[in-house]
Amino acid sequence: MTEPGQDRRKPTQLSELTDVYGFLDQVRLHPGVWVRGGSLLHLESVLFGYQAALSVHGIDEDSDFSTGSQGPFADWLWTRLAMQFPSALGWAVEIERAAEQAGKPALEMFFELLDEFRASNNGAQLPSRPGRQASSRIGQPHATVSSPR
């Protein structure tokens, strides 16, 4: 996920990370270490485990991620992908669908969307990254949604 000309960040010890975005920066550096097969469903599971560990240890950290279709990132994503309703399948599935339609790796699209989300002031601010721009042409997923009854 490192682009030519982009500054190369070095891996950080887990004990030095301060929030979920620090962790996701480590995933971006070495996705094969953290996400089996580039599957966003696996990344979503890792983030669920991250949140569970915070809860078990009584650590209060606001998270933009939750499993399924809730949370600030998911709320932003539904609008970004022009979905009329939140997907019952969750953000990971919908990004994987959009990536397949766009013909690009799902993890790559996730990080593009994550950068865009953070830059939009909906998420934590990104540190400046020379030569890094989020794509404005992300494929549209199928809107598979359960309507409320």
Side-chain angles (χ1 to χ4, degrees):
M1 307 278 146
T2 304
E3 297 175 2
Q6 180 181 348
D7 61 326
R8 296 212 29 111
R9 295 182 177 190
K10 294 182 180 176
T12 303
Q13 295 294 320
L14 288 178
S15 61
E16 297 175 25
L17 301 178
T18 59
D19 62 12
V20 70
Y21 287 109
F23 173 72
L24 287 171
D25 284 343
Q26 296 307 300
V27 173
R28 186 190 308 247
L29 281 175
H30 298 287
V33 171
W34 298 101
V35 183
R36 185 175 53 180
S39 167
L40 291 184
L41 290 172
H42 289 284
L43 178 60
E44 184 179 46
S45 294
V46 169
L47 291 174
F48 177 77
Y50 178 91
Q51 291 173 343
L54 290 175
S55 179
V56 165
H57 294 286
I59 299 170
D60 186 21
E61 177 182 317
D62 287 335
S63 177
D64 291 330
F65 301 93
S66 63
T67 57
S69 61
Q70 299 178 351
F73 178 72
D75 291 342
W76 173 86
L77 184 66
W78 309 142
T79 301
R80 174 62 181 82
L81 296 180
M83 295 178 68
Q84 188 174 4
F85 301 101
S87 170
L89 301 176
W91 60 264
V93 169
E94 294 303 341
I95 293 172
E96 285 188 344
R97 286 180 169 183
E100 184 177 352
Q101 288 180 353
K104 66 180 1 178
L107 205 53
E108 180 181 323
M109 182 175 279
F110 167 77
F111 282 114
E112 289 175 1
L113 288 166
L114 180 65
D115 290 346
E116 191 177 328
F117 169 72
R118 293 181 72 188
S120 73
N121 292 323
N122 287 306
Q125 287 297 319
L126 274 174
S128 62
R129 289 184 176 200
R132 185 91 173 133
Q133 293 181 355
S135 171
S136 61
R137 303 188 101 172
I138 306 287
Q140 300 296 316
H142 303 289
T144 307
V145 179
S146 305
S147 58
R149 293 181 189 220

